[in-house]
Amino acid sequence: MGNGSDSPTLIYVTNPMCAWCYGFTAVVRRLRALWQGRLKVQVLFGDLHAYADSPLQQHEKDQLAVSWHRVQERTFLPFDYRFFKDQDFVYNTEPACRALLCVRLLRPVLTLEVLRAMHSAFYADGLDIRNPGVLARIVSMFGISENLFLTLFESEEIMQQMEDEFGYVNDIGADTFPSVFLLTNHGIEQIAKGYIELYELEQRILTVMEHANS
């Protein structure tokens, strides 16, 4: 995944069912708008409980609840806490990641916008974004044909590509979500591990770019 030009590429490693990513996607969207023409943004999806097949245990729900409250306190984003009444929820994030991979292949310019919509659907509206029908309706709001989406979503090729992406993300060391890397002509460097504010992210980008150009 080379750079191919003098413009650096910010690699945002995320997951649509990661609470801190719900908060951080807004930061990345603002950054992209402010740095338009100076910085490319690439979105990759990481393995957060992908392929989980057993319901959440109470201690896992307790940990999630703490994270949700912390994100809400820091970002003021809405959360639907009725989620925690579901006794049988299996926290499998692979379908939502695969749906976003489909979007990135079909309409790459929309990837961040659909990611934001999926975050809101899950956290604010309490929708089940593991469900292919729900995912198809979300992407259709952005002009993507539900039939085209579902054909790609259900293909063996996209499932394999999703596994490969999880592997790549793991190989570059993105074991926390969100994670941010900067790809320059000097290589790839991790600049954030977890949520940070926009001004701090910009400072880290500028520092890496200064070193790359010195």
Side-chain angles (χ1 to χ4, degrees), residues 63-199:
Q63 291 172 346
L64 278 178
V66 169
S67 291
W68 287 29
H69 281 292
R70 286 177 177 168
V71 175
Q72 190 168 34
E73 288 172 358
R74 187 156 180 182
T75 66
F76 306 105
L77 288 167
F79 282 82
D80 183 347
Y81 288 94
R82 290 177 296 178
F83 166 84
F84 293 97
K85 295 180 180 178
D86 188 338
Q87 300 299 314
D88 301 310
F89 191 88
V90 177
Y91 212 92
N92 175 12
T93 70
E94 191 274 342
C97 288
R98 184 168 17 118
L100 283 160
L101 178 56
C102 293
V103 171
R104 202 180 70 208
L105 291 170
L106 294 169
R107 298 286 298 279
V109 70
L110 294 176
T111 307
L112 265 180
E113 304 313 311
V114 180
L115 173 62
R116 180 197 58 78
M118 285 192 188
H119 284 318
S120 294
F122 180 59
Y123 287 107
D125 301 329
L127 298 180
D128 185 356
I129 62 170
R130 303 167 305 170
N131 184 307
V134 172
L135 293 167
R137 286 194 295 274
I138 293 171
V139 302
S140 72
M141 294 188 298
F142 294 85
I144 297 174
S145 158
E146 289 192 28
N147 288 336
L148 175 62
F149 166 77
L150 288 171
T151 298
L152 182 58
F153 178 79
E154 294 166 358
S155 69
E156 291 186 10
E157 290 82 1
I158 203 72
M159 293 179 189
Q160 183 59 55
Q161 194 167 335
M162 190 75 265
E163 284 192 39
D164 293 344
E165 183 150 319
F166 288 155
Y168 174 77
V169 163
N170 184 65
D171 288 344
I172 63 174
D175 54 4
T176 299
F177 307 113
S179 282
V180 181
F181 297 79
L182 197 64
L183 179 63
T184 68
N185 292 332
H186 289 253
I188 187 170
E189 181 175 340
Q190 186 165 17
I191 60 171
K193 192 172 186 177
Y195 182 95
I196 59 173
E197 301 293 347
L198 176 62
Y199 72 90

